Amino acid sequence: MHHVDVPTAKIWSLSRKYKLLPIHRVLLGHDGSMTNLLELISCCEVALRTIKQSVIPCPREVADLLAVDAGEPVNERDIIIVRSRDGSPLLYARSYTPLSRLKSAFKADLMRADIPIGKIMQRHRIEARREILDVGYLSNDRHLEKLLARPGPYLLRTYNIITQGKPLITVKEYFSASL
Amino acid sequence: MHHVDVPTAKIWSLSRKYKLLPIHRVLLGHDGSMTNLLELISCCEVALRTIKQSVIPCPREVADLLAVDAGEPVNERDIIIVRSRDGSPLLYARSYTPLSRLKSAFKADLMRADIPIGKIMQRHRIEARREILDVGYLSNDRHLEKLLARPGPYLLRTYNIITQGKPLITVKEYFSASL
């Protein structure tokens, strides 16, 4: 018998407490590309709308997740994934990538800012693993209500994309449970 | 604007034709661990029941998928993923792995036969990408009806798990649309 992950067990527990649907549990706990998943669920193409993208000194709490020194240059990216058809928001995400771990072709795509990470990885045939670090539930949040144009509750998750043994990107994603 | 994959477009088309649910599209097209996905969907632990496992000379059609010579030794594994709680079958899969591409620790786990591939990869922290090769729909099939203990229709998919630029495993999975 194998062992069930801590995040999976936490998702089951959130699911019982808040009566989540199977699709919510999948959105919280899957370890594949989120863009791909959203295209499968919504049965249409999705696009990326960039809110903010800039190189900043790595904040302390992010440095711990990425295993880099605080202050090291990282690319911070705030995006919303929307349905291409009507522009309606599906997911809000903030990600951080240490510039020192970015190869130039990947970096150019990431800085172009309109391509989802999953698509960039696919294009460059990047081999990786995704490690779900935490999942959570928020009954309401004004900022998210504006960004996602939907009322709460919201579900969130934090995960790392790991290549060559090191975190390449740490991502925090939020979506409405009415998705 | 990015480009939608051929398998994703085929899944949308199957979905319209056969009125598939979002969860079916996810099962067909996601690029993460299938074991993990089944544990999220069914909200309980799953286990692996091995039907057959042996080293055979690689059949021609499989050799093409794996990019190895026909006749090269491959590990053929037929399994059913079941709900641990009640043993009810969720998915039937047949996979092939060229022995030449297996590292010894991974090989030992694969030959032990009771551990799902996704769990083995997680345990060994293997970085990979999954490439969906094809998806399909079967209205009925006697063999699958026995294996899965459910009537048709069935959904199926073929994908490769790629590490270090080469297919490590090619997998064909079948599950009931009533899952």
Side-chain angles (χ1 to χ4, degrees):
Chain A
M1 189 65 66
H2 64 267
H3 193 73
V4 171
D5 298 331
V6 175
T8 300
K10 187 168 176 188
I11 291 166
W12 294 346
S13 150
L14 283 180
S15 185
R16 278 187 297 270
K17 187 164 177 193
Y18 298 110
K19 304 195 189 307
L20 302 183
L21 300 173
I23 210 80
H24 293 142
R25 298 193 295 269
V26 168
L27 282 159
L28 281 175
H30 77 106
D31 61 350
S33 153
M34 187 51 117
T35 314
N36 180 41
L37 195 74
L38 290 173
E39 289 190 330
L40 291 165
I41 292 173
S42 63
C43 217
C44 80
E45 223 178 314
V46 302
L48 197 145
R49 194 197 299 156
T50 305
I51 301 174
K52 191 171 87 178
Q53 191 238 314
S54 58
V55 174
I56 59 162
C58 192
R60 160 60 51 205
E61 68 281 10
V62 176
D64 291 344
L65 294 175
L66 288 170
V68 298
D69 292 329
E72 194 183 297
V74 289
N75 188 58
E76 184 189 56
R77 186 160 104 143
D78 265 32
I79 61 105
I80 292 179
I81 296 183
V82 302
R83 266 206 297 246
S84 298
R85 199 170 50 211
D86 55 10
S88 71
L90 298 172
L91 178 133
Y92 162 68
R94 173 174 289 181
S95 69
Y96 295 91
T97 310
L99 295 193
S100 62
R101 291 189 191 145
L102 280 178
K103 289 185 184 153
S104 60
F106 189 96
K107 189 169 166 179
D109 276 355
L110 194 75
M111 301 292 186
R112 268 185 50 208
D114 60 336
I115 317 174
I117 288 165
K119 296 282 167 180
I120 302 177
M121 292 179 62
Q122 203 174 41
R123 176 181 296 186
H124 295 280
R125 300 181 170 223
I126 289 175
E127 296 169 6
R129 60 187 188 88
R130 284 173 173 81
E131 197 169 73
I132 315 295
L133 302 174
D134 200 14
V135 294
Y137 179 97
L138 263 177
S139 52
N140 52 58
D141 183 282
R142 289 218 186 154
H143 186 54
L144 288 175
E145 190 163 341
K146 270 190 201 159
L147 288 170
L148 294 170
R150 278 172 189 267
Y154 305 99
L155 297 166
L156 58 130
R157 65 185 207 141
T158 308
Y159 63 99
N160 280 353
I161 300 178
I162 294 164
T163 59
Q164 301 178 327
K166 289 177 184 166
L168 176 67
I169 311 176
T170 189
V171 190
K172 194 160 193 170
E173 292 172 334
Y174 302 84
F175 53 93
S176 165
S178 66
L179 182 68
Chain B
M1 187 68 65
H2 63 267
H3 193 73
V4 170
D5 298 333
V6 176
T8 300
K10 187 168 177 188
I11 291 166
W12 293 347
S13 149
L14 283 180
S15 186
R16 278 187 297 270
K17 187 164 177 190
Y18 299 110
K19 304 194 187 309
L20 302 183
L21 300 173
I23 209 80
H24 293 140
R25 298 193 294 269
V26 168
L27 282 159
L28 282 174
H30 78 106
D31 61 350
S33 153
M34 187 51 119
T35 314
N36 180 41
L37 195 74
L38 290 173
E39 289 189 331
L40 291 165
I41 293 172
S42 64
C43 216
C44 81
E45 223 178 315
V46 302
L48 198 146
R49 194 197 298 156
T50 305
I51 301 173
K52 192 171 86 177
Q53 191 238 314
S54 57
V55 175
I56 60 162
C58 191
R60 161 56 57 202
E61 67 281 11
V62 176
D64 291 344
L65 293 175
L66 288 170
V68 297
D69 292 329
E72 193 182 297
V74 289
N75 188 58
E76 184 188 57
R77 185 160 106 142
D78 267 31
I79 60 103
I80 292 180
I81 296 183
V82 301
R83 265 206 298 247
S84 297
R85 201 171 47 210
D86 56 10
S88 71
L90 298 172
L91 178 133
Y92 162 68
R94 173 174 288 181
S95 68
Y96 295 90
T97 309
L99 294 193
S100 61
R101 291 188 192 147
L102 279 178
K103 288 187 184 152
S104 60
F106 189 95
K107 189 169 167 178
D109 275 355
L110 194 75
M111 301 292 187
R112 268 184 52 207
D114 60 336
I115 316 176
I117 288 165
K119 297 281 167 181
I120 301 176
M121 292 178 62
Q122 204 175 39
R123 176 181 297 187
H124 295 281
R125 300 180 172 223
I126 289 175
E127 296 168 8
R129 62 187 187 88
R130 284 174 172 81
E131 197 169 72
I132 315 295
L133 302 174
D134 200 14
V135 295
Y137 178 97
L138 263 178
S139 52
N140 52 57
D141 182 282
R142 290 219 185 153
H143 186 52
L144 287 175
E145 189 162 343
K146 269 189 201 161
L147 288 170
L148 294 170
R150 278 171 190 268
Y154 305 99
L155 297 166
L156 59 130
R157 66 184 206 140
T158 308
Y159 64 98
N160 280 354
I161 300 178
I162 295 164
T163 60
Q164 300 176 330
K166 290 176 183 168
L168 177 67
I169 311 177
T170 189
V171 189
K172 196 161 193 168
E173 293 173 333
Y174 303 83
F175 53 93
S176 166
S178 68
L179 181 69

